[in-house]
Amino acid sequence: MAATEDLTYALNEQQLEFRELVRQIAQERVAPRAAEIDEKAEYPHDLRTLLAEQDILGLPFDEEYGGTGTGTLTLNIAVEELAKACASTALILMVQELGALPIKLFGTEEQKRRWLPRLASGEWTPAFALSEAEAGSDPGGMRTRAVRDGDDWVINGEKNWITNIGIADLYVVFAVTDPDAGHSRGISAFVVEADRPGFSIGKLEHKMGIRGSPTGQPVFQDVRVPQENLIGELHQGFKVAMATLDRSRLGVAAQAVGIAQGAIDYAAAYARERRQFGRPINSFQAIQFKLADMETRTAAARELLYKACAKADRRESDMGKYSAMAKLFASDTAMSVTVEAVQVLGGYGFVKEYPVERMMRDAKITQIYEGTNEIQRLVIARTLR
Ligand code: CAA
């Protein structure tokens, strides 16, 4: 057994102080906006500016590219605290990482210097364009094509379910460059800036949850990008996508833990105040046991998440397995915990005056995006063969 396998994590003084700071920002500035963002399905530009000003958007980046250089665990502590207050706002930070990861992990020095500092400062917003209408769980079956023309690549196709649609300044786009290479092969990754001619926005989705984050369909019609925009090796883009998702799934897990904890905190406070049969409902064992199970599952999800983050920070080889397990367990936890939170609030849980129904709707996507939980099980099971 490798020595690293027994290592876990410990939050240091700076991380604990930082968590307090983000918690305060999230509770004072983000939480009061959450219901309105959801109701109006409005992208919170004001909160994005706040995250940039507070250097929170710099968390996914190394210091040499203008980031905080504080690593994956610290980043996901911030995602968790933001998600407690508003899952849509947490997603701003998550996609700042997701869209930048291909460049961070596979970009040349020149490419990193070109794009990462602008992303770290929050001046630019990225998007990650992998999925298509007919290629969701199976991105290896994508149809978007990129064809070489002189020193350029010409991209044609449509992507689907892309977060930050219309907001993003650059899209990392995956396209088939060698159609004869076979399934999941012969794919390459390109940076496409949103102002390139031929780029447009197709359908916008109307969603059940994370309604403050626009999702939709970028369309590429003879979009020309120079060779310098190719990320990683030619025809090796599928690996760029997979390695990116291995890391970004930790963000989904952190969002799920945050949503779950936000729902528990609200339900527990409600149960202290709400009186029925002449006493607070948290004096009934039915409610106590529910809250105890919710808290226990969420604590377990957090432990797995933090351990997986520490593995990512140490670049351990089983990090992808752990991020899949953290995403799977945390998102299933968020779903069951938020359903129970609605139950604790009873009729009040079902109405929009109270936040738990929003949390329940927001939790659902964590079981689906960045790889459905069925795909996570597949990724985990493959390590056991
Ligand atoms: N890291 C690096 N390379 C990897 C890898 C990883 N984690 N996983 C696979 N690869 C490599 C393989 O080694 C193989 O390489 P070779 O060509 O050298 O042999 C190549 O990639 C193909 O691998 P597979 O044959 O295993 O590919 P597959 O077609 O069986 O797919 C899969 C595997 C795990 C099912 C994958 O398709 C998958 O993860 N699907 C889910 C996709 C997903 O998560 N989509 C979410 C999109 S993001 C989003 O949600 C949008 C948003 O904006 C929030």
Side-chain angles (χ1 to χ4, degrees):
M1 190 190 280
T4 51
E5 280 179 26
D6 286 323
L7 290 177
T8 181
Y9 71 90
L11 298 190
N12 60 33
E13 200 64 36
Q14 288 100 315
Q15 284 167 322
L16 291 171
E17 276 173 23
F18 174 74
R19 181 165 69 183
E20 273 315 306
L21 179 73
V22 184
R23 187 170 287 172
Q24 197 184 346
I25 292 169
Q27 293 310 315
E28 288 176 8
R29 309 281 299 273
V30 178
R33 291 271 286 113
E36 188 187 11
I37 290 166
D38 173 65
E39 180 69 25
K40 294 186 176 160
E42 148 195 303
Y43 181 82
H45 288 279
D46 57 329
L47 296 182
R48 187 177 186 288
T49 304
L50 175 70
L51 299 186
E53 282 168 2
Q54 297 291 331
D55 242 4
I56 291 174
L57 293 184
L59 289 169
F61 303 91
D62 292 334
E63 271 179 295
E64 56 184 316
Y65 303 110
T68 58
T70 41
T72 309
L73 179 53
T74 305
L75 162 66
N76 285 306
I77 287 170
V79 170
E80 180 188 339
E81 289 303 325
L82 292 171
K84 264 194 216 172
C86 173
S88 292
T89 303
L91 189 53
I92 294 175
L93 175 55
M94 289 157 62
V95 185
Q96 203 73 15
E97 186 198 29
L98 170 67
L101 270 170
I103 305 169
K104 233 181 111 171
L105 297 175
F106 294 91
T108 61
E109 192 52 37
E110 191 277 327
Q111 289 173 328
K112 290 181 191 173
R113 299 225 167 268
R114 180 141 55 113
W115 289 304
L116 295 184
R118 283 171 159 185
L119 295 170
S121 69
E123 181 192 344
W124 275 30
T125 304
F128 181 78
L130 177 69
S131 306
E132 299 181 2
E134 303 297 327
S137 288
D138 179 20
M142 70 176 63
R143 300 226 183 103
T144 297
R145 286 287 315 271
V147 175
R148 186 88 198 230
D149 182 28
D151 286 340
D152 292 344
W153 287 90
V154 181
I155 303 175
N156 277 287
E158 286 173 9
K159 296 288 173 179
N160 223 25
W161 302 296
I162 306 307
T163 306
N164 274 354
I165 188 83
I167 301 290
D169 300 282
L170 68 81
Y171 293 74
V172 176
V173 180
F174 295 85
V176 176
T177 43
D178 179 4
D180 301 323
H183 188 265
S184 297
R185 288 167 184 87
I187 289 167
S188 302
F190 299 92
V191 167
V192 178
E193 296 88 347
D195 57 3
R196 297 234 170 232
F199 172 81
S200 63
I201 295 164
K203 191 173 65 150
L204 275 178
E205 305 294 351
H206 298 284
K207 296 173 299 181
M208 173 200 282
I210 53 160
R211 287 166 47 78
S213 174
T215 307
Q217 201 177 45
V219 178
F220 307 89
Q221 203 171 5
D222 290 329
V223 175
R224 214 165 248 284
V225 293
Q227 171 73 13
E228 300 91 81
N229 284 27
L230 172 75
I231 304 293
E233 282 178 50
L234 184 63
H235 308 322
Q236 298 297 316
F238 195 75
K239 289 175 189 166
V240 173
M242 293 298 110
T244 294
L245 290 166
D246 276 346
R247 288 186 165 262
S248 68
R249 283 170 183 155
L250 295 167
V252 180
Q255 184 188 36
V257 170
I259 294 170
Q261 194 64 56
I264 294 167
D265 293 351
Y266 198 91
Y270 176 90
R272 274 196 294 276
E273 299 300 324
R274 172 75 173 162
R275 295 177 73 85
Q276 291 291 278
F277 305 100
R279 50 194 175 124
I281 61 168
N282 75 350
S283 65
F284 297 112
Q285 202 175 54
I287 300 294
Q288 289 169 359
F289 280 15
K290 241 187 233 314
L291 291 170
D293 285 344
M294 291 155 71
E295 180 80 352
T296 304
R297 287 191 65 170
T298 303
R302 183 179 296 107
E303 290 303 308
L304 185 53
L305 166 67
Y306 285 12
K307 176 156 181 154
C309 288
K311 278 179 175 286
D313 280 334
R314 292 193 297 262
R315 294 183 165 72
E316 288 179 28
S317 59
D318 58 354
M319 182 270 291
K321 173 188 177 184
Y322 270 80
S323 73
M325 293 197 297
K327 194 272 195 196
L328 168 65
F329 189 75
S331 60
D332 282 353
T333 297
M335 198 65 246
S336 75
V337 162
T338 52
V339 168
E340 288 294 60
V342 169
Q343 194 67 20
V344 170
L345 269 76
Y348 291 113
F350 200 64
V351 297
K352 286 186 187 279
E353 255 174 273
Y354 293 80
V356 287
E357 65 80 32
R358 166 173 53 82
M359 294 168 172
M360 188 182 96
R361 287 185 286 105
D362 285 343
K364 186 62 206 170
I365 193 61
T366 64
Q367 294 180 305
I368 298 171
Y369 65 7
E370 298 193 34
T372 61
N373 280 3
E374 290 67 30
I375 292 292
Q376 306 313 313
R377 289 184 174 92
L378 185 149
V379 169
I380 299 157
R382 280 178 171 190
T383 68
L384 304 172
R385 288 197 300 228

